[in-house]
């Protein structure tokens, strides 16, 4: 499965539990497919995201996503 966003955003960052960025996008990628920057599958577990929206509200959307295979 993939993690899709159905709204316009300026930036998204997905972090592992250690705070390492495993995905970063500036509004170009349609989805995160649970791979790291090297294209390798990330380990099963909880990941955290921060999304900077493009609605000029200057509010970040934050949450978590669990990767299972």
């Amino acid at each position: 499965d993939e993690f899709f966003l159905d709204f316009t955003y300026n930036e998204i960052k997905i972090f592992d539990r250690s705070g390492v960025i495993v995905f970063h996008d500036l509004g170009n990628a349609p989805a995160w497919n649970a791979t790291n920057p090297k294209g390798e599958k990330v380990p099963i577990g909880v990941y955290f995201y921060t999304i900077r929206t493009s609605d000029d509200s200057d509010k970040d959307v934050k949450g978590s996503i669990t990767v299972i295979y």
Side-chain angles (χ1 to χ4, degrees), residues 13-53:
K13 293 179 184 177
I14 300 178
F15 305 86
D16 66 13
R17 289 181 158 241
S18 301
V20 175
I21 296 174
V22 296
F23 181 78
H24 180 233
D25 182 62
L26 296 173
N28 302 319
W32 178 55
N33 60 358
T35 58
N36 64 23
K38 295 178 183 178
E40 305 162 336
K41 284 186 176 182
V42 297
I44 292 171
V46 177
Y47 293 80
F48 304 92
Y49 60 84
T50 302
I51 301 170
R52 170 78 47 164
T53 62

